[in-house]
Every structure is written in C-alpha cells, then in structure tokens.
Amino acid sequence: MRKFLLTIVLSVLAGSAAAAEIKVFCPGAVQGVVSELAQTFQQSTGHAVKFEYGTAGAVAKRVTGGEVGDVAITTAAGLARLAEQGLIVVDSRRDLGEVGVAVAVRSGALAPDVSTPDAFKRAMLGAKSVMYADPALGGQSGIHTARVFEKLGIAEAMKPKTALRPGAPQGLVEVARGDIEIGIGQMSEIVAAKGVQLAGPLPRELQNTLTFSAGVLASAVAQDAARAFIGHLTSSAARDKFKAAGFTLPN
C-alpha cells in the first residue's frame, strides 16, 4: 500500500516539475481567440499561460526592448523583423490567420452603410463620435484608419469627434455602452467584443488585411512549452475558432 501511495506522489511531483509558465505577448486582434485557446492548452498540458496584451506595435517594442517572455504574437511583417534581429527562433514561426479592418456599432443600433468608399465617408462624417486605436501606440487598425481618413479628405473634419484609445478592445467597451457611436478595429476584435455588432468590413478599396503570426522568443526559458502552445494555436480545432472570429486561414 505504501509503495502504491509513494508511486502516486512521485507521479504528481513529476507532473508538477514538468509544468511550466509561459509568458505570451499578444495584440488585441487575436486576443479573444488566443485567450480562449489558452484555457484548453492549460487543461491538457498543465502549463500555465500568462498574457501581456497590447497593440502589435507595442508587442514588437517590448521584445526589442529586451522584456523577458516566451512567445510573441504580432503581424507577420513585425515578427519577421524580430527574427532578423535574432529575437525569434526562426523555425518556430507560424501564421495564425489574416484579418481586415471593420466597423462596429452598439448591439441593436442602426448600422450605417459602409459598403463603398462614398458610403463609408458619409457614415464617418454623419457620426457623432468615432473610436479607433491610437496610431502613436502602434495600433495597426488605428494607423490604417488615420490613413483612410487622409485619403478621403476628412481627417480634419474627424478630429473633433475622434476618440483614440490604447487599443480597439478598450474602446469597443465604450461603444457597447453607447458612449461612442462608431468603433473601428480589426474584424476579430469586433467579433470578440460583447455588446457590439458588426456594421461591416471596410470596402475593398479602403481595406487593409494583416496576417498575424506567432513565434518563440530566442531568450525564452520554457521553449518546449512555448513551441507546444504555438502548436496548439495552429491545430485543426484552433483553425475553426480563428475562422469563426473572422480570420482567413493560411493554407
């Protein structure tokens, strides 16, 4: 009996020793899907996942600044630059999916027509308030939105009613409350947000799609667990969740 109990204790201790905590730098565009997938990963492996959220630009800045972590998720272009600097394990890089920019309103509100450049322009000029991620903080959808307003010649007209936020997920909370009329962010951020509904993607002529990728940091302490987590993010079950969140999946 004692030998049996000892075997159980040793087995538990061995499992605990094998478990690791991995730190993941994650942008808002994939936050909803990745945080959900982290739960099933933790349940199946025993590894703990700790997230540090921010814009894609902020993720890259934290990595280049030498902040300790295990996995970085950012745009494919951004991750490639990090790999060129020797900050990402090259063979660990995996694409998660491609997503575009879209428009959101509070659930139950009348959604504006944003199907053409002219319709989008009218919707923006007619809105009482518009939110998007602060371009200065590296929000990719915000950078693109500011460029679209310039392209349409409405940048100056939009300034008085524009609310810049650290990231679209934070601003969408205000859209859900009705404090802000229109929110602009990555399609996946809008799908994941509570209390808002999708008005539609930006029209093709104004659209900007980005591929988001994950990679293991070269300085990662728990590299095996980090690789396993990225494998989980690219599993067949994960692909279904990314697709449901508005992503176009890699082949």
Side-chain angles (χ1 to χ4, degrees):
M1 182 65 176
R2 288 181 179 179
K3 184 177 181 181
F4 176 71
L5 291 174
L6 180 61
T7 301
I8 292 177
V9 170
L10 291 174
S11 177
V12 170
L13 290 175
S16 299
E21 179 179 270
I22 59 174
K23 182 178 177 180
V24 180
F25 297 110
C26 180
V30 298
Q31 179 177 337
V33 181
V34 172
S35 59
E36 182 180 349
L37 289 168
Q39 295 177 21
T40 55
F41 176 75
Q42 290 175 152
Q43 292 167 0
S44 62
T45 66
H47 299 312
V49 182
K50 177 184 177 182
F51 286 103
E52 293 290 340
Y53 295 114
T55 64
V59 167
K61 187 174 182 180
R62 293 174 77 164
V63 173
T64 55
E67 190 166 341
V68 176
D70 298 286
V71 174
I73 303 174
T74 186
T75 62
L79 202 70
R81 286 192 291 270
L82 294 176
E84 289 171 0
Q85 297 173 59
L87 299 172
I88 297 293
V89 179
V90 176
D91 70 354
S92 72
R93 291 167 53 190
R94 297 290 184 274
D95 290 340
L96 303 179
E98 180 182 74
V99 69
V101 181
V103 176
V105 296
R106 183 179 61 175
S107 294
L110 181 63
D113 179 11
V114 294
S115 60
T116 67
D118 284 343
F120 177 81
K121 181 177 180 178
R122 287 193 299 271
M124 296 301 103
L125 291 174
K128 294 179 180 178
S129 54
V130 176
M131 177 284 303
Y132 57 87
D134 190 345
L137 298 179
Q140 299 301 301
S141 61
I143 291 170
H144 180 66
T145 300
R147 289 173 179 166
V148 167
F149 287 174
E150 289 283 354
K151 179 179 180 179
L152 295 175
I154 61 174
E156 288 301 317
M158 295 302 298
K159 282 182 180 179
K161 55 184 176 181
T162 294
L164 300 179
R165 295 294 180 263
Q170 295 95 318
L172 289 170
V173 173
E174 297 177 73
V175 175
R177 289 201 304 257
D179 297 336
I180 296 175
E181 184 177 350
I182 286 179
I184 302 175
Q186 302 289 356
M187 173 86 75
S188 52
E189 294 171 321
I190 294 169
V191 171
K194 295 180 180 179
V196 303
Q197 64 185 32
L198 181 69
L202 265 61
R204 178 179 53 80
E205 298 90 338
L206 304 177
Q207 186 57 267
N208 180 53
T209 57
L210 291 172
T211 296
F212 285 85
S213 305
V216 177
L217 292 173
S219 59
V221 174
Q223 285 208 12
D224 289 343
R227 284 181 180 273
F229 182 60
I230 292 176
H232 186 69
L233 296 182
T234 53
S235 65
S236 57
R239 286 172 63 88
D240 291 341
K241 291 189 180 295
F242 275 103
K243 187 176 181 180
F247 285 86
T248 299
L249 304 179
N251 296 325

